[in-house]
Amino acid sequence: MGRPRTYVTDAIVLSRFDLGEADRVLTLITPRDGKLKAIAKGVRRPTSRIGGSLEPFAELRVALARGRTFDVVTQVTVGHAWLALRDSLESAATAWYLAELADRSLEERHEAEPLYGLLHRAYELLDAGMAPGRVARWYEMHLADELGVRPEVDRCVECDRMLEATEAFRWVPTLGGVLCGRHPGPPASVAGLSVEALRLLKAYQRLDVEALAGLRLAPSVEAEVETALRDFVRVALERESRSLAFLDEVRAGHPV
Ligand SMILES: [Zn+2]
């Protein structure tokens, strides 16, 4: 017996593009089937029954028919709309960034339950009003875990010595984490990491999100950790993120 011709799954839209007169191709993340591309036919017509439901930043329940190139969307209902997430441009831009990271982390048609759960939780947190930067850092740290590249924040990546708060160290994503002061030489361009930033990186690894949301932090330390984790994830995914540029412009107050 072959696979059933139709199936139903939870899904979140990661990206989409228009095709032809009225169709749209969606990249979906699903728990069991991982990332997949599906075509929604005629959804850009005002009369479409499903067009309005196929939005990003929502958990959808999607019925699909297997097709030759793309599976075909036959029915959609909205499970969680996470409407408050769209109220702020920064949280919406962050949601795009997180979706793009998930997209680039996944091969098509590989089981993706942990990453699906991570994105789902991040969207819930954005919707609940948690600071987008903290949601993004929490997500990046856990995404690195899922990619099998948990950042080293306790021991030196070179000599394996436990780091002490009194010494100088550097953050070297290409080496997988923190490098202690005993290793001169390249990469000389890498900036030092403050002990406060190191402490916050550890917090992102260890604390639950409720505790992270409540931390009182100096903006300079948050900025340092933002750079550190973005760099880390960029190295892990080996490619610059397109949506980060957009997010930066939004936060600089110059929405494109
Ligand atoms: Zn060392």
Side-chain angles (χ1 to χ4, degrees), residues 30-86:
T30 69
R32 262 206 337 268
D33 297 282
K35 183 170 82 168
L36 60 95
K37 285 208 167 62
I39 186 162
K41 291 184 175 165
V43 284
R44 282 152 55 219
R45 293 199 182 97
T47 51
S48 169
R49 283 178 302 112
I50 58 177
S53 312
L54 277 171
E55 293 296 316
F57 318 149
E59 181 174 55
L60 309 173
R61 189 91 181 138
V62 185
L64 295 146
R66 296 192 194 276
R68 201 167 295 167
T69 314
F70 302 124
D71 288 358
V72 181
V73 177
T74 57
Q75 254 188 328
V76 185
T77 54
V78 177
H80 294 97
W82 296 315
L83 290 174
L85 183 163
R86 300 148 208 255

Side-chain angles (χ1 to χ4, degrees), residues 114-196:
L115 195 41
Y116 185 88
L118 192 61
L119 187 64
H120 188 285
R121 184 80 179 111
Y123 282 5
E124 279 178 347
L125 294 167
L126 288 173
D127 189 59
M130 183 168 162
R134 298 217 185 156
V135 176
R137 304 296 84 76
W138 172 83
Y139 179 93
E140 287 162 337
M141 186 60 96
H142 289 82
L143 178 70
D145 267 355
E146 292 303 330
L147 293 170
V149 288
R150 185 182 173 85
E152 178 58 64
V153 293
D154 296 300
R155 296 173 173 279
C156 170
V157 290
E158 197 66 33
C159 67
D160 205 35
R161 205 165 48 79
M162 282 299 281
L163 300 165
E164 285 161 40
T166 49
E167 66 182 313
F169 23 68
R170 289 178 291 166
W171 179 250
V172 190
T174 48
L175 294 178
V178 181
L179 186 68
C180 83
R182 292 188 185 174
H183 314 284
S189 59
V190 179
L193 190 72
S194 73
V195 68
E196 292 81 10

Side-chain angles (χ1 to χ4, degrees), residues 94-107:
T94 300
W96 271 124
Y97 168 57
L98 304 185
E100 191 194 336
L101 290 184
D103 193 353
R104 287 166 46 206
S105 301
L106 292 167
E107 304 277 343

